[in-house]
Amino acid sequence: MISLIIDIIIAGIAGCIAGELMGSKGSRLYNVILGIVGGSVGGVIFRLIGFSASNRIGGLVVSVVGACLVIYMVRVIKK
């Protein structure tokens, strides 16, 4: 249970980082939500190409990449 909470917090931090990297105009809460979704997306994508995060730092990197992809997809869909 604690591990799940820590993973959600890391994904939220990743969302904030990705929001800054992508120049997102959304609120912090919006970026945190996209980070949580992006963490899942990033995990799936990285597993499909044969990589996996073995620690919290790796999980943060995967989540940031996934959140950047989610932010990009949201921008494309909104246009």
Side-chain angles (χ1 to χ4, degrees), residues 1-71:
M1 182 67 178
I2 296 295
S3 180
L4 176 65
I5 294 169
I6 291 171
D7 288 343
I8 290 171
I9 290 170
I10 288 174
I13 292 168
C16 290
I17 293 170
E20 292 295 320
L21 289 174
M22 299 291 290
S24 176
K25 305 283 190 230
S27 67
R28 290 274 183 222
L29 179 62
Y30 179 75
N31 289 335
V32 167
I33 292 169
L34 289 181
I36 293 169
V37 173
S40 298
V41 170
V44 169
I45 290 172
F46 272 70
R47 273 187 233 112
L48 286 174
I49 60 174
F51 295 107
S52 67
S54 60
N55 57 25
R56 299 286 181 215
I57 301 297
L60 180 64
V61 171
V62 168
S63 293
V64 168
V65 171
C68 286
L69 289 172
V70 170
I71 290 171

